[in-house]
Amino acid sequence: MGNQIIDSSQVDGAILVVLPKFIGDAINTLPALELLKKLYPTQRVYVLGRPFMAHLFTRAAHYGTEFINDKRYCNEQKHSLFKMAKELKQLDISIAVLLRGSLREALLLKLAGVKNVIGYAQNARSPLLSHALKLNQSEHYIYRYCQLINIPHGRPFKQFSAPKLIPKKTTCALSKKRNVALYLGGSVKGDRHYPHDLSLELINNLVMRDDIHLYLLGDKAEREEMETLRFKAGENGEKVTNLAGSMSLDILVDTIGAMDAMISIDSGPMHIASACGTPCVAVIGQGTSPWSNVAPKQSNLIALHHNSMSLSKPHMIRDITPKAITDVLATVF
């Protein structure tokens, strides 16, 4: 095939997609997977991702892909690069699409004997790609991923659909009130997390409403900080449930999908809420990427941006006050 246009009708083997390593980025790949499945409706489309991501893709089964654990990142029986390549070699892969921009992933596919590899020409990996596209840094991540499908196939698509996750009925016992999830981030999120003093003020402002029950989300590393917030809420803490560190990624999708609304920093849970159709107020401070490149495209998300003049990154997010957040949430209800 080389750099020529790929004719999907002439491709007999399986298709492999290498996922990014973060939750939000993986959710943003879903439109590209949909385009790929339209091009190859009868072929097996595998997605290779880190083991924890498998839970997320159980809620994206409607995209028709098969998840493969990247055993290089398993805690037990961890594979080497060569052993993982040997395993992939058994899948009869005709085309691989790199949705992660690392040299290591391109080398993996070279060792796996995949002849047709699509990816962006970055990180000195162009010699390992059959179709090396020029990366437009200003494009939204969803566009970047979709272009890796559209351009090599002769641009058959004019548009794409927004990412969608389908949650299952949650097993979490929810209140009969309006249930609102909060992902404010712990100190592990660095400059992105909502400061604890403002988080406590926000919690107290919200639970003053008798019709709201709050659910604090987070991973195991954030559980203690979320429990401290709940404890400091005093009597109001009875209207707050700490779920941080208590669920796998699929259950997190189900829980967020069951909420009446969510408040979140720029994060994976924010992208989950958007993809589940849960109304979400996003608190945008200093992000890891320009907001224009990662912002969810669903209409159920309302973004609050800081207008801080501070040169200190940790202070930027403080410009978004608890009152501003509760005022916006009031428009959702």
Side-chain angles (χ1 to χ4, degrees):
M1 291 183 186
N3 280 308
Q4 69 187 48
I5 299 299
I6 299 172
D7 181 353
S8 59
S9 67
Q10 300 301 309
V11 178
D12 296 325
I15 314 299
L16 177 70
V17 175
V18 180
L19 294 173
K21 65 179 180 178
F22 297 117
I23 295 171
D25 294 340
I27 291 173
N28 277 335
T29 68
L30 296 178
L33 296 182
E34 183 177 36
L35 299 184
L36 196 58
K37 197 61 183 176
K38 286 180 179 179
L39 286 168
Y40 301 98
T42 62
Q43 273 132 301
R44 304 183 83 166
V45 177
Y46 298 106
V47 290
L48 177 69
R50 302 190 179 213
F52 76 91
M53 206 79 77
H55 293 289
L56 177 71
F57 274 78
T58 63
R59 301 307 187 254
H62 49 289
Y63 288 98
T65 62
E66 299 177 50
F67 191 89
I68 300 175
N69 280 327
D70 191 336
K71 295 176 183 175
R72 292 175 296 166
Y73 303 101
C74 286
N75 292 326
E76 298 178 0
Q77 297 182 332
K78 186 175 181 179
H79 279 18
S80 66
L81 178 70
F82 295 98
K83 191 172 183 179
M84 193 67 224
K86 184 178 180 181
E87 186 169 308
L88 293 177
K89 203 167 188 176
Q90 310 305 312
L91 299 179
D92 186 29
I93 299 167
S94 290
I95 298 174
V97 185
L98 288 171
L99 299 185
R100 184 166 181 242
S102 77
L103 175 61
R104 187 176 176 84
E105 311 309 321
L107 181 58
L108 171 69
L109 298 178
K110 181 70 173 179
L111 294 172
V114 182
K115 294 181 179 179
N116 301 292
V117 181
I118 304 168
Y120 284 112
Q122 57 184 146
N123 299 322
R125 63 185 191 165
S126 293
L128 300 175
L129 306 177
S130 62
H131 292 72
L133 279 64
K134 183 178 179 180
L135 176 64
N136 183 345
Q137 295 280 4
S138 67
E139 281 190 326
H140 192 286
Y141 278 33
I142 296 180
Y143 286 90
R144 296 183 193 183
Y145 300 142
C146 287
Q147 298 288 33
L148 284 173
I149 309 302
N150 202 36
I151 293 175
H153 288 88
R155 303 179 187 269
F157 302 107
K158 301 301 181 184
Q159 61 184 44
F160 57 84
S161 301
K164 184 177 182 180
L165 296 172
I166 301 178
K168 294 184 178 181
K169 186 175 180 180
T170 181
T171 57
C172 177
L174 301 180
S175 78
K176 295 181 180 179
K177 299 181 178 181
R178 284 174 168 165
N179 297 302
V180 179
L182 274 72
Y183 180 61
L184 306 170
S187 55
V188 293
K189 291 299 182 184
D191 300 333
R192 281 191 293 159
H193 89 281
Y194 200 54
H196 292 334
D197 60 322
L198 297 184
S199 294
L200 181 59
E201 183 181 342
L202 173 62
I203 290 170
N204 285 325
N205 286 353
L206 290 171
V207 295
M208 285 178 63
R209 288 181 51 167
D210 293 332
D211 62 335
I212 286 181
H213 191 93
L214 300 179
Y215 297 84
L216 302 179
L217 303 180
D219 61 24
K220 291 180 180 178
E222 296 164 319
R223 180 170 178 79
E224 187 174 334
E225 291 175 79
M226 296 306 105
E227 185 59 26
T228 298
L229 284 175
R230 192 194 67 79
F231 177 78
K232 287 185 177 180
E235 294 181 359
N236 290 333
E238 295 181 2
K239 299 179 181 178
V240 183
T241 300
N242 180 15
L243 296 177
S246 67
M247 60 187 72
S248 56
L249 197 47
D250 52 342
I251 305 304
L252 178 63
V253 172
D254 299 342
T255 302
I256 292 174
M259 292 289 144
D260 294 297
M262 182 169 184
I263 298 168
S264 177
I265 60 170
D266 179 7
S267 63
M270 174 197 71
H271 286 280
I272 291 173
S274 299
C276 287
T278 300
C280 182
V281 179
V283 182
I284 311 302
Q286 176 67 24
T288 55
S289 300
W291 176 250
S292 61
N293 287 349
V294 298
K297 290 189 169 292
Q298 292 89 336
S299 59
N300 55 296
L301 182 130
I302 303 172
L304 287 176
H305 299 268
H306 76 82
N307 289 312
S308 175
M309 302 296 179
S310 174
L311 292 174
S312 172
K313 292 180 181 179
H315 281 81
M316 292 176 180
I317 201 168
R318 297 187 68 89
D319 185 64
I320 305 171
T321 66
K323 183 179 184 303
I325 297 171
T326 54
D327 285 349
V328 171
L329 185 67
T331 66
V332 173
F333 290 144

